[in-house]
Amino acid sequence: MQSAFPKISKIKFEGPKSKNPLAFKHYNASEVVAGKTMREHLRFAVVYWHTFRGTGSDPFGSGTMLRPWDDGTNSVANAQNRVRAAFEFIEKLGAPYYCWHDRDVAPEGSTLAESNKNFDAVAKVLKEEQKRTGIKLLWGTANAFSNPRYMHGAGTSCNADVFAYAAAQIKKAMEVTHELKGEGYTFWGGREGYMTLLNTDMKRELNHLAALLHMAVAYKKQIGFKGQFYIEPKPKEPTKHQYDSDSAACLNFLREHGLLPHFKLNIETNHATLAGHTMQHELEVAGAAGALGSIDANTGDELLGWDTDQFPTNIYLTTYTMLSILKYGGIKTGGVNFDAKVRRESFEPIDLFHAHIGGMDAFARGLKIAAAIRKDGRLEKFVQQRYSSWDSGIGAKIESGKVGFKELEAHILAKGEADSNSSGRQEFLENLINEFI
Ligand code: XUL
Ligand code: CO
């Protein structure tokens, strides 16, 4: 196959002074920050769906993307060629990982058997290319939302046969993930939610979703797949209400159904903001529960209320993201996965490079800044000090469960009034962050 990106060579680190749009200014894979290389900290991944299957279509117009390596057909041969173009891109970019949905990489057939056959034929090329380049699969997933059969949901469909189809599809996607030595497997409940409660038996749907995930846990054990399972929160779009709406809702669902030991969360920025939260809020909720697994790195647009999946370039966003990630011990099994797409107007192949280079540099800066803030220690010390009333005296007694209402009443009756409060110093702390940006 001809080169898909003939004019572009391997993207190098040239440092902050470089004016080369095809060079990293901050992401220096081998540079050590806070005890690990940037490559090890960030574990960047390229998504197959937006980057190699995104057409640029929107509800008002058709595709715009120029992808010379793609013949536009739904053939297996075209899908196999596309794999080679994808690996050329990921290799030139220098990202160590990629992620896919089953239906991104291989065309869906007219029967499940035909789809599985197509998938195997493309997986063979994925395996060859992984071997040739050393690029690894961060996670795989099944697209159980695009096909019209999933109109009412997959695991939460009112149609039991559709549930069975989803199970069969997930089974195959897990097998291929395992075969390609994937390091994880993600569940995003694309249509696991409702459009109206008038036609919905929510309790039954949630129980079915839990049953599907339990089956996946059991099958994982059967085939000896050791990768991490992730569940990806999103509050709405395509449905009005998705059951996996945010970190807290996912954790509650997993806990209620005895699934928590088997899952971590894959937190996506634009999903966090759609849920009315910040990315950092979602990371903290997951981190506090020991369930921070991976991130889908992107950003929304302040003025648009939907999942615009833009590449992250905001240094505050990446700094706060990395502050929380470092606080919880860094990314372990997951990665920084660019679930992001170039704008419809950015239709040339080179735009894919600009987008990813920008995202990787923004995260490298976020990492360096967050590490510097942690090394400086003032922020952490401030927070420790803020809670110091809990380190001894009555606070320590409450935390250790040694006192109840009666003892606390006696404590306050003896004092007459609580000790005075200290300022929260939000502005001081915001200025402190700005010292590092
Ligand atoms: C959709 C989304 C998905 C998941 C994988 O908003 O984020 O692409 O990441 O299914
Ligand atoms: Co995502």
Side-chain angles (χ1 to χ4, degrees):
M1 183 191 150
Q2 277 185 340
S3 165
F5 306 92
K7 296 202 184 111
I8 297 171
S9 39
K10 177 123 182 88
I11 307 300
K12 294 200 189 88
F13 170 71
E14 291 184 2
K17 294 221 169 85
S18 168
K19 297 275 185 276
N20 178 1
L22 294 175
F24 294 116
K25 320 291 186 301
H26 298 276
Y27 178 62
N28 185 8
S30 59
E31 186 181 326
V32 175
V33 178
K36 280 199 289 191
T37 63
M38 288 195 188
R39 189 184 170 89
E40 289 163 336
H41 269 292
L42 295 165
R43 298 164 58 88
F44 286 124
V46 171
V47 300
Y48 212 89
W49 50 101
H50 290 311
T51 301
F52 302 104
R53 302 311 309 277
T55 62
S57 66
D58 72 10
F60 303 93
S62 54
T64 56
M65 296 297 157
L66 209 65
R67 302 290 181 248
W69 57 84
D70 202 306
D71 69 13
T73 68
N74 221 9
S75 72
V76 170
N78 187 34
Q80 290 172 324
N81 248 344
R82 196 187 288 122
V83 171
R84 297 187 186 101
F87 275 79
E88 183 186 338
F89 173 80
I90 305 167
E91 195 181 20
K92 284 184 168 170
L93 184 68
Y97 290 100
Y98 77 117
C99 296
W100 46 244
H101 297 87
D102 47 2
R103 303 299 179 246
D104 311 329
V105 288
E108 179 150 20
S110 51
T111 61
L112 180 65
E114 197 188 321
S115 299
N116 288 351
K117 194 167 150 240
N118 293 348
F119 197 9
D120 285 334
V122 180
K124 193 171 154 280
V125 186
L126 289 169
K127 198 172 180 179
E128 280 165 23
E129 288 294 291
Q130 285 186 202
K131 195 160 172 228
R132 182 184 69 75
T133 60
I135 292 161
K136 294 185 278 187
L137 178 62
L138 185 66
W139 49 259
T141 187
N143 176 337
F145 45 88
S146 292
N147 189 290
R149 89 174 64 83
Y150 295 120
M151 63 172 73
H152 300 299
T156 62
S157 176
C158 49
N159 179 342
D161 253 4
V162 171
F163 180 104
Y165 203 111
Q169 199 185 321
I170 292 167
K171 171 179 176 287
K172 179 68 181 173
M174 281 173 61
E175 288 163 5
V176 175
T177 300
H178 187 36
E179 170 70 19
L180 296 178
K181 298 195 166 48
E183 295 185 16
Y185 186 91
T186 293
F187 294 82
W188 169 59
R191 290 186 194 272
E192 313 295 26
Y194 61 79
M195 294 308 283
T196 173
L197 284 169
L198 289 173
N199 64 15
T200 302
D201 185 338
M202 191 195 279
K203 190 172 164 66
R204 214 165 174 183
E205 291 200 358
L206 285 167
N207 285 338
H208 294 165
L209 183 57
L212 183 76
L213 297 181
H214 272 295
M215 288 177 198
V217 169
Y219 193 63
K220 182 184 178 202
K221 212 168 154 194
Q222 272 176 45
I223 62 175
F225 174 54
K226 297 273 184 313
Q228 176 64 50
F229 270 175
Y230 304 106
I231 184 162
E232 182 176 320
K234 183 175 184 179
K236 53 189 161 205
E237 208 196 278
T239 67
K240 172 164 90 172
H241 177 84
Q242 306 260 144
Y243 293 133
D244 49 9
S245 57
D246 64 2
S247 289
C250 286
L251 290 171
N252 182 57
F253 170 81
L254 292 169
R255 230 181 241 123
E256 183 182 347
H257 294 278
L259 287 158
L260 195 52
H262 308 288
F263 286 81
K264 289 201 180 333
L265 302 186
N266 177 38
I267 315 261
E268 177 163 330
T269 323
N270 208 160
H271 297 178
T273 46
L274 281 178
H277 304 308
T278 60
M279 177 64 165
Q280 198 180 13
H281 167 93
E282 288 292 86
L283 292 168
E284 290 287 329
V285 171
L292 208 176
S294 196
I295 68 168
D296 269 10
N298 61 16
T299 190
D301 184 297
E302 271 174 25
L303 302 182
L304 301 174
W306 64 90
D307 198 13
T308 57
D309 282 341
Q310 286 161 240
F311 277 83
T313 54
N314 184 319
I315 308 301
Y316 285 97
L317 169 66
T318 58
T319 297
Y320 288 128
T321 300
M322 291 314 299
L323 265 177
S324 290
I325 287 175
L326 292 179
K327 174 174 161 188
Y328 290 103
I331 297 173
K332 299 197 176 72
T333 55
V336 174
N337 175 46
F338 289 112
D339 191 355
K341 58 186 178 210
V342 288
R343 298 304 85 193
R344 185 167 190 269
E345 303 80 2
S346 308
F347 59 90
E348 295 177 3
I350 196 171
D351 293 306
L352 294 173
F353 279 96
H354 296 154
H356 285 84
I357 291 168
M360 288 162 84
D361 266 347
F363 265 89
R365 288 180 79 180
L367 167 64
K368 285 190 281 187
I369 295 165
I373 292 169
R374 285 168 59 80
K375 190 161 175 230
D376 170 81
R378 277 175 291 162
L379 180 65
E380 199 184 356
K381 206 166 146 224
F382 180 88
V383 178
Q384 259 170 21
Q385 182 59 32
R386 186 160 183 252
Y387 291 89
S388 58
S389 69
W390 295 88
D391 296 338
S392 59
I394 197 69
K397 282 186 190 150
I398 300 171
E399 279 197 351
S400 60
K402 286 198 185 111
V403 289
F405 273 8
K406 271 172 128 180
E407 292 79 7
L408 295 178
E409 182 192 45
H411 173 77
I412 292 299
L413 284 174
K415 290 185 90 156
E417 182 49 82
D419 283 353
S420 54
N421 281 311
S422 315
S423 167
R425 300 252 189 274
Q426 179 171 333
E427 299 76 11
F428 162 87
L429 294 170
E430 285 166 350
N431 297 349
L432 191 152
I433 297 290
N434 274 356
E435 272 183 43
F436 294 85
I437 301 255

